[in-house]
Amino acid sequence: DAGVTQSPTHLIKTRGQQVTLRCSPKSGHDTVSWYQQALGQGPQFIFQYYEEEERQRGNFPDRFSGHQFPNYSSELNVNALLLGDSALYLCASSPDRGRRNEKLFFGSGTQLSVL
Amino acid sequence: AQSVTQLDSHVSVSEGTPVLLRCNYSSSYSPSLFWYVQHPNKGLQLLLKYTSAATLVKGINGFEAEFKKSETSFHLTKPSAHMSDAAEYFCVVSDRQAGTALIFGKGTTLSVSS
């Protein structure tokens, strides 16, 4: 079992650009959540996708958007990048429509640097 | 709103000595509480969880935590530290108001010296 896989592992962008991060959930998982982890901070919840729809959203601006595909994989898109968007972006997947937090599995993340 | 305060940003111990990582939480509802560990270049791994069953929770790798409602605390302990325990540890809360979101503390860096 490959677990949760994220790509790319590292990414460098400049201010104002757009970026797309990708996530493949653990086999058997149907729900994907995204978190942002700034340097020296704990992860912050961005949003969660189930059945190809955004089910819950944290306190992030509309520049952050996502998508879930029929095979349960997901993308995180960030538009008009700011320096403050530099962070480790973590994807987490869970089974059972995401109802049980203890079943959450995290990927290793994508490190985004905005210059 | 829910919140988590990890009382120490950095804890240093010697190998073989006890570990104590402190966590206080705030929640208006019956919370679920977790401890996660993050090793460099690896994903977050669940150590243990409390979900309103026994207040003393045993996790992986010899870690345990005790839920104390009166003190709103959920401290993580281990009787004897191992070099491989060196990592970043996060205390996490979730409740009905948070929905499916996990609310993380800022983390505690555990260093273990030989």
Side-chain angles (χ1 to χ4, degrees):
Chain A
D1 185 357
V4 179
T5 57
Q6 293 186 241
S7 63
T9 54
H10 295 82
L11 202 52
I12 299 175
K13 292 285 188 179
T14 56
R15 281 182 299 173
Q17 284 189 313
Q18 178 264 343
V19 69
T20 298
L21 311 181
R22 295 177 175 82
C23 172
S24 293
K26 182 177 170 64
S27 177
H29 287 192
D30 55 14
T31 304
V32 173
S33 303
W34 287 92
Y35 286 79
Q36 180 196 63
Q37 185 177 11
L39 191 63
Q41 302 293 317
Q44 279 194 290
F45 176 75
I46 303 175
F47 41 53
Q48 183 183 82
Y49 276 83
Y50 172 70
E51 289 189 334
E52 303 179 47
E53 291 190 357
E54 182 181 293
R55 185 162 71 179
Q56 184 176 349
R57 188 179 184 92
N59 188 25
F60 278 80
D62 292 345
R63 298 186 297 109
F64 289 77
S65 63
H67 189 78
Q68 185 180 35
F69 299 93
N71 66 353
Y72 307 120
S73 66
S74 176
E75 289 182 349
L76 164 65
N77 300 292
V78 187
N79 294 323
L81 284 166
L82 303 173
L83 295 179
D85 295 331
S86 295
L88 180 67
Y89 288 85
L90 296 166
C91 173
S93 71
S94 52
D96 302 329
R97 300 159 57 189
R99 289 174 296 180
R100 299 179 63 185
N101 282 335
E102 68 269 26
K103 296 291 189 181
L104 208 60
F105 276 80
F106 282 86
S108 299
T110 294
Q111 184 65 54
L112 172 64
S113 299
V114 182
L115 305 179
Chain B
Q2 318 79 8
S3 66
V4 172
T5 302
Q6 293 186 240
L7 299 170
D8 307 290
S9 59
H10 197 162
V11 171
S12 296
V13 301
S14 299
E15 192 174 23
T17 64
V19 175
L20 170 63
L21 305 183
R22 299 182 295 163
C23 171
N24 286 350
Y25 70 91
S26 172
S27 172
S28 301
Y29 304 91
S30 298
S32 295
L33 294 160
F34 310 81
W35 277 96
Y36 278 85
V37 62
Q38 186 176 40
H39 291 275
N41 301 317
K42 292 197 173 182
L44 287 157
Q45 182 184 19
L46 179 65
L47 278 178
L48 50 79
K49 67 182 189 295
Y50 165 79
T51 53
S52 75
T55 57
L56 183 61
V57 182
K58 294 188 183 299
I60 62 171
N61 300 334
F63 285 95
E64 62 181 40
E66 186 171 8
F67 173 71
K68 292 187 176 181
K69 185 175 181 179
S70 61
E71 299 176 9
T72 61
S73 69
F74 190 58
H75 300 335
L76 181 70
T77 60
K78 182 173 181 178
S80 176
H82 191 272
M83 295 294 287
S84 61
D85 294 328
E88 189 78 13
Y89 291 80
F90 293 97
C91 182
V92 180
V93 67
S94 184
D95 62 20
R96 189 173 70 198
Q97 185 178 37
T100 55
L102 298 179
I103 310 301
F104 283 76
K106 291 187 176 183
T108 297
T109 302
L110 175 65
S111 299
V112 182
S113 58
S114 57

